[in-house]
Structure formats: structure tokens, C-alpha cells
């Protein structure tokens, strides 16, 4: 594997743009391959094709004569694995923790290992890569034992039959974003959570963005109406803001699931939240993905 933009001439190549909205085509610097597989995130695919739909992104990238397969990674929805004759969707494997740093590199490395070194089919290699990423983000392990690799292989082989011709739709329900927004730090965290959930395709209701500040007799009823009509509450619990705690209790009393982020809070003050079924994490990425997976029915 090489990170950078050297000119590559290869018989078989796996290309991961790694540049988000600045992603470039493999042959943009004169690189060429007899057989090319492009692994791109949804944002990278959009950057390279000006298309928004993963199916259209893949179709455009496959127009390159040497490109035999395209994989578009779509977060909790899984990934589209497209060739000239087949478009299949694979699922992500939920994990108890999500360590995002390096996850894209692990997907690329695992796919390359299965496809280039082991000679496995593209779809099978993609499932192997997805399961390997789940192991990595859940454990932060940089190397895997043979026993772990065997388990990863078994899980991915079993999942192969779950390949689908259509994508999994993002649920129509809204995520209610509960959290304080009275300081710069608090507002920044609200903005980050809102962006992360929006970026993965979910509808988000953020009180400060949708309702704003105002008299209590105006703001509270509007917020509670939105909360009552939400499918899940994502609660930013740092500081144990009283308004946020109230919203969590209100949601649980109505059977609305709650996922919470509590980065530096001991378990004892969270007793009622944990005991009432809230899924609490001290990690931002983990809590965001848990909210998405819960809404999609994966956890």
C-alpha cells in the first residue's frame, strides 16, 4: 500500500482516493492499471462524479475502461459493490466501540489482501473488508491473531448470502438532538453532532437550529412537540444540563430510545439513565454510530 499521489502503472490496483471532497480520479496523474477497483466514500464519489446517488456514482466511475469494480462506502447503510454486470449492497457490522481513525485504511488493506493476494471475488472481498473494519474499530487492534482472522472470515462468509440488490433505506424518523448550547464548546458539539448525523443521511431536529432561543412558554412546547414526534433522542450529556436530562426522561417515559454521549461523567450520576435503557457512551463517534444503528434496527 502507498499513501500519496505517485504515478502508478500496475496490472491490478486498488485505489482509495483518501481526499474527501477533494478526491481525484486514479488516472488523474497518469496512473494506469489493467484491472482497477475503486474504493471510495460517498463524499469522495460525489467529488469525482458530481453525482449524489451511489448507484449513479458507481456507474460513472465504471465508465473508465480499466475499472472492473467500484465500492462506495455509505456509513451505516453499508456499501455498494458494483461491477459491469452486478450491483450489490453489503452491510456494515455494528461494533460496541467505533474508533474511526484508520478505519478507511483498514477497509482498503483488508479488501486488497482478499482480492489481490488471496484471489477472492470482489463481493466476497468487500464483505471481508467490512467485517475486518468492525473488528478494528471495536478493539483498536493493529494486528489480528490467526484465530481472530478465522472468525472474521467465517462471519464474512456467512454474511455473503445477505448481499442485497437494493440499498437499505435510511429510516424516515427524526433524531432529536438534545444538549446544551450556552457556551462555545457546547454549541460546537451540537453542530458537530448535527453535521455527523446529517452527513449519514438522517433527519435531525436540533432545538437551537430549528426553534432558537426565546420565552420558555414558547420554546418548551415547540421542543416537546418535536421530541414527541421523534424516533430517537441523541443526548449530549456533558455537564448534566438540567434541560437535557428532562428531555431524556420525557423521551424514556414515552418509550422513545435514547443514545447519550457522556465523555467525562462517572457512572453514578447516570444511574437512572442507564437503568431506564439509555445507551450511554463516553466516545463521540461510538455514540453517533450507535444512534444510527439503533434507528436502522441493527443494535
Amino acid at each position: 500500500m502507498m499513501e500519496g499521489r505517485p504515478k502508478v502503472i500496475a496490472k491490478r490496483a486498488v485505489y482509495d482516493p483518501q481526499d474527501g471532497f477533494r478526491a481525484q480520479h486514479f488516472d488523474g496523474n497518469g496512473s494506469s492499471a489493467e484491472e482497477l477497483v475503486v474504493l471510495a466514500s460517498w463524499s469522495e464519489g460525489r467529488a469525482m462524479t458530481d453525482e449524489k446517488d451511489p448507484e449513479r456514482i458507481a456507474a460513472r466511475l465504471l465508465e473508465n475502461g480499466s475499472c472492473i469494480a467500484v465500492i462506495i462506502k455509505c456509513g451505516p447503510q453499508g456499501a455498494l459493490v458494483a461491477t459491469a454486470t452486478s450491483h450489490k449492497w453489503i452491510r456494515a457490522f455494528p461494533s460496541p466501540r467505533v474508533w474511526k481513525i484508520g478505519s478507511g485504511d483498514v477497509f482498503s488493506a483488508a479488501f486488497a489482501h482478499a482480492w489481490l493476494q488471496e484471489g477472492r471475488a470482489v463481493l466476497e472481498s468487500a464483505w471481508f473488508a467490512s467485517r475486518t473494519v468492525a473488528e478494528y474499530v471495536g478493539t483498536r487492534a493493529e494486528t489480528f491473531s490467526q484465530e481472530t482472522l478465522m472468525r472474521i472470515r467465517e462471519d464474512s462468509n456467512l454474511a455473503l448470502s445477505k448481499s442485497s440488490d437494493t440499498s437499505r433505506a435510511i429510516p424516515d424518523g427524526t433524531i432529536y438532538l438534545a444538549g446544551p448550547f450556552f457556551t462555545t464548546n457546547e454549541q460546537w458539539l451540537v453542530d458537530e453532532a448535527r453535521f455527523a448525523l446529517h452527513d449519514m443521511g438522517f433527519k435531525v431536529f436540533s432545538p437551537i437550529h430549528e426553534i432558537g432561543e426565546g420565552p420558555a412558554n414558547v420554546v418548551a412546547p415547540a421542543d416537546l412537540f418535536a421530541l414527541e414526534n421523534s424516533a430517537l433522542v441523541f443526548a449530549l450529556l456533558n455537564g448534566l444540563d438540567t434541560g437535557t436530562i428532562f428531555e431524556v426522561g420525557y423521551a424514556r417515559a414515552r418509550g422513545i430510545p435514547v443514545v447519550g454521549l457522556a465523555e467525562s461523567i462517572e457512572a453514578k450520576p447516570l444511574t437512572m439513565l442507564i437503568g431506564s435503557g439509555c445507551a450511554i457512551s463516553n466516545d463521540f463517534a461510538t455514540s453517533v454510530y450507535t444512534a444510527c444503528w439503533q434507528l436502522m434496527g441493527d443494535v
Side-chain angles (χ1 to χ4, degrees):
M1 292 183 67
M2 292 183 291
E3 187 162 343
R5 289 290 294 164
K7 181 178 178 180
V8 174
I9 299 175
K11 288 185 176 181
R12 307 177 85 200
V14 176
Y15 176 56
D16 180 351
Q18 291 275 323
D19 286 323
F21 290 105
R22 298 174 299 175
Q24 302 175 33
H25 289 275
F26 175 71
D27 59 5
N29 67 344
S31 294
S32 63
E34 294 177 18
E35 290 185 318
L36 173 68
V37 175
V38 176
L39 310 180
S41 67
W42 186 31
S43 60
E44 290 164 345
R46 296 200 304 268
M48 289 190 288
T49 64
D50 290 326
E51 300 283 356
K52 293 183 179 180
D53 178 72
E55 300 275 356
R56 288 292 307 146
I57 292 171
R60 287 285 304 278
L61 292 174
L62 283 168
E63 291 173 0
N64 181 320
S66 65
C67 185
I68 66 164
V70 174
I71 299 175
I72 305 298
K73 296 173 287 185
C74 299
Q77 280 184 288
L80 170 65
V81 182
T83 67
T85 59
S86 172
H87 281 208
K88 295 289 186 181
W89 282 84
I90 67 172
R91 291 192 177 194
F93 290 80
S95 56
R97 300 282 293 180
V98 179
W99 175 252
K100 279 283 290 177
I101 297 174
S103 59
D105 295 329
V106 170
F107 189 100
S108 298
F111 178 88
H113 172 72
W115 184 63
L116 289 174
Q117 292 186 281
E118 297 186 339
R120 297 181 182 273
V122 168
L123 185 60
E124 183 182 357
S125 299
W127 274 111
F128 176 73
S130 181
R131 177 61 182 86
T132 303
V133 167
E135 190 71 26
Y136 167 75
V137 301
T139 64
R140 294 179 64 173
E142 296 182 359
T143 59
F144 300 135
S145 66
Q146 285 300 315
E147 182 181 354
T148 299
L149 284 172
M150 286 180 62
R151 188 175 71 252
I152 291 172
R153 177 69 68 199
E154 289 172 359
D155 290 347
S156 59
N157 286 342
L158 287 172
L160 190 59
S161 62
K162 297 180 181 178
S163 304
S164 172
D165 293 330
T166 57
S167 64
R168 300 177 68 204
I170 295 291
D172 194 47
T174 298
I175 297 175
Y176 183 96
L177 180 54
F181 41 78
F182 308 113
T183 68
T184 300
N185 290 343
E186 291 170 346
Q187 180 67 65
W188 178 86
L189 189 57
V190 169
D191 290 343
E192 283 294 299
R194 181 171 178 258
F195 173 81
L197 293 166
H198 267 314
D199 192 52
M200 288 191 278
F202 292 83
K203 294 180 181 178
V204 181
F205 180 93
S206 168
I208 187 59
H209 291 94
E210 312 300 336
I211 303 298
E213 298 183 88
N217 64 333
V218 174
V219 171
D223 287 350
L224 292 179
F225 178 80
L227 195 158
E228 290 168 357
N229 288 278
S230 66
L232 180 142
V233 170
F234 184 84
L236 304 175
L237 299 168
N238 295 341
L240 296 176
D241 169 67
T242 54
T244 304
I245 298 300
F246 175 86
E247 289 169 319
V248 169
Y250 196 92
R252 292 307 298 133
R254 282 157 178 74
I256 299 171
V258 174
V259 174
L261 171 65
E263 293 176 295
S264 56
I265 302 172
E266 295 180 359
K268 191 171 183 179
L270 300 171
T271 297
M272 292 299 293
L273 281 70
I274 296 171
S276 62
C278 299
I280 308 296
S281 172
N282 63 359
D283 176 73
F284 180 77
T286 299
S287 58
V288 168
Y289 271 84
T290 299
C292 297
W293 283 326
Q294 277 212 18
L295 203 54
M296 296 193 74
D298 290 335
V299 294

